[in-house]
Amino acid sequence: MKIQQNVNLKNYNTFGVSVLAKQFVEVQTPKELKKILAHHKNIFILNGGSNMLLTKDIEKLVVKLNITGKQVVKETNEHVFVKVNTSENWHNFVLWCVDKNYGGIENLSLIPGNVGASPIQNIGAYGVEVKDVITTVNCLDIEKLTKKVFKTDACNFGYRNSIFKKEEKGKYIITSVVFKLTKQNHTIHSDYGAIKTQLEAKKIKKPSIKDISDIVIAIRSEKLPNPKELGNSGSFFKNPIVSKTVFTKIQKDNKELPFYEIDSDNYKIPAGWLIEQCEFKGKKNGDAGVHEKQALVLVNYGNATGVEILNLADKIKKEVTTKFGITLETEVNIF
Ligand code: EPU
């Protein structure tokens, strides 16, 4: 473990933003991680770099996690429990499960990032959230340097939220996650509009988890930019949840308003729709832009700085507030 000086993080964050890590070290095992933490308290943890916008050089010691590996820890007739280390690539893990016919995360195909990030913001797509299949999150307590285990109920999972983003932010490093997956009698989630349409088009009546994964990959590839080709961090904002009064007021003037009803007084409105109505879709401000097919995704066309992307995000927030009276909340972590 060698501490390097002035490392450019462009290739370590999916936005592809250039900032310097004044000090940088890579760790391969929890033991190495502990060793570093024993000597350095002022640290910045970097895993897959998929849900962050870096706006300035990092003065703290950047600890790049490269802790890989996975193993089946328990098996019954119905279920398999897989313990996956924090730096395993999420999508590769999904493909491994689909290949082994382990069900539960096929709807979460092609989400960028590493496994350790999945509980932090409770990744979700096409009717499934990762909380549905997580049994345990194993962490290292940064202060005490002891192991801390969180069972699902202790994680306070919510929409793109968990205690790791809120109450316990910065206190723990996730080292591995245990998933409970089905070996048979899979629960297939095919209600999401775009999945349904594709199943009908392909005349698939009883989809397998492989069918669902393939379809999700096709839908995402069509709409969402590949961070390897165009820097981005997925949805930049959360979809806002508004009261019935606010919802009804907007719907009155916009009959085509898409929405998800959460309960009788709460409606989730797609932020992508709000942003598109403010005419930002496909707009560019230097190298910072709004994706042309999904307005919820901000992109780096090459050499945008984090500040330029943040300025664009602020401009969008202001316009959405002016036009709809709704305050958008960022989903991506800003540093
Ligand atoms: N829409 C527009 N204009 C746009 C984008 C969307 O009008 O530019 C409309 C669509 O027409 C559709 C609705 O908004 O009626 C919903 O769009 P979409 O199905 O693309 O989903 P989303 O609500 O925008 C959420 C997640 C995505 C996830 C999809 C599918 C959040 C913040 N985002 O997006 O997650 O893949 O649903 O489940 O909840 C991510 O978190 O990085 C992410 C990509």
Side-chain angles (χ1 to χ4, degrees):
M1 282 185 299
K2 191 172 164 285
I3 296 186
Q4 303 170 56
Q5 316 291 327
N6 294 325
V7 172
N8 191 328
L9 297 182
K10 190 172 172 71
N11 293 329
Y12 292 96
N13 69 98
T14 61
F15 250 125
V17 160
S18 266
V19 298
L20 285 186
K22 296 290 171 68
Q23 290 193 302
F24 178 95
V25 69
E26 194 162 325
V27 296
Q28 317 266 353
T29 61
K31 210 172 156 190
E32 285 187 355
L33 176 60
K34 239 171 138 171
K35 214 166 157 186
I36 288 291
L37 294 184
H39 296 98
H40 301 269
K41 287 291 163 221
N42 210 11
I43 53 152
F44 180 101
I45 295 294
L46 180 62
N47 198 357
S50 62
N51 201 37
M52 53 168 56
L53 178 62
L54 301 170
T55 62
K56 51 181 179 292
D57 291 346
I58 301 171
E59 306 291 334
K60 296 176 176 180
L61 170 64
V62 172
V63 181
K64 164 78 178 117
L65 304 180
N66 196 6
I67 306 173
T68 54
K70 59 180 167 320
Q71 64 180 125
V72 170
V73 286
K74 190 173 146 188
E75 218 169 334
T76 65
N77 278 346
E78 295 285 328
H79 294 105
V80 60
F81 295 74
V82 192
K83 182 179 167 190
V84 189
N85 285 339
T86 192
S87 306
E88 280 292 320
N89 174 270
W90 174 263
H91 180 58
N92 287 346
F93 171 52
V94 174
L95 292 181
W96 180 84
C97 291
V98 170
D99 185 53
K100 294 220 164 326
N101 196 32
Y102 295 160
I105 53 174
E106 54 282 354
N107 292 52
L108 305 180
S109 297
L110 215 57
I111 293 184
N114 289 350
V115 167
S118 64
I120 299 179
Q121 56 150 340
N122 182 23
I123 58 171
Y126 312 107
V128 171
E129 286 185 330
V130 75
K131 72 169 175 55
D132 304 336
V133 289
I134 286 179
T135 66
T136 314
V137 180
N138 296 311
C139 301
L140 181 69
D141 184 315
I142 296 178
E143 199 55 45
K144 297 184 190 142
L145 295 187
T146 49
K147 195 175 162 184
K148 169 91 180 170
V149 176
F150 289 90
K151 293 284 173 202
T152 317
D153 286 349
C155 296
N156 280 354
F157 285 123
Y159 166 58
R160 294 295 192 277
N161 224 337
S162 74
I163 53 159
F164 306 109
K165 249 186 131 169
K166 290 243 157 150
E167 302 93 303
E168 307 288 358
K169 191 174 176 179
K171 284 195 198 162
Y172 302 98
I173 297 169
I174 295 173
T175 50
S176 63
V177 183
V178 182
F179 299 90
K180 181 183 179 184
L181 304 161
T182 48
K183 284 166 65 181
Q184 51 182 328
N185 304 320
H186 305 302
T187 306
I188 300 290
H189 297 270
S190 56
D191 285 347
Y192 193 90
I195 294 185
K196 238 185 197 166
T197 311
Q198 292 256 346
L199 285 172
E200 278 162 17
K202 291 181 165 187
K203 298 196 171 38
I204 300 174
K205 290 226 159 57
K206 279 198 152 190
S208 64
I209 58 175
K210 169 97 169 63
D211 291 329
I212 299 289
S213 174
D214 286 347
I215 287 173
V216 168
I217 290 171
I219 298 169
R220 289 188 79 97
S221 308
E222 164 63 27
K223 261 195 169 178
L224 297 166
N226 178 350
K228 288 199 179 111
E229 289 156 16
L230 190 60
N232 75 89
S233 236
S235 303
F236 195 89
F237 300 101
K238 289 188 192 181
N239 285 333
I241 296 166
V242 301
S243 67
K244 188 166 186 171
T245 320
V246 172
F247 169 74
T248 314
K249 196 165 157 263
I250 298 174
Q251 200 189 36
K252 208 170 133 250
D253 302 327
N254 303 277
K255 294 284 170 261
E256 79 296 0
L257 172 68
F259 65 92
Y260 322 93
E261 185 176 342
I262 291 179
D263 54 44
S264 57
D265 194 43
N266 288 292
Y267 291 76
K268 200 191 261 181
I269 300 180
W273 183 87
L274 296 169
I275 297 167
E276 184 171 347
Q277 299 310 304
C278 294
E279 296 179 5
F280 277 105
K281 198 169 183 171
K283 281 271 164 68
K284 264 173 128 181
N285 206 342
D287 268 358
V290 179
H291 190 51
E292 53 188 13
K293 291 186 183 154
Q294 167 52 290
L296 192 48
V297 178
L298 301 192
V299 293
N300 175 6
Y301 282 100
N303 293 313
T305 62
V307 170
E308 284 168 338
I309 295 169
L310 193 59
N311 285 344
L312 176 59
D314 284 342
K315 216 166 141 187
I316 292 170
K317 273 176 90 168
K318 274 205 190 98
E319 290 274 331
V320 169
T321 306
T322 307
K323 196 169 163 77
F324 295 104
I326 293 175
T327 309
L328 291 181
E329 225 182 283
T330 48
E331 203 227 90
V332 167
N333 298 304
I334 317 277
F335 295 99

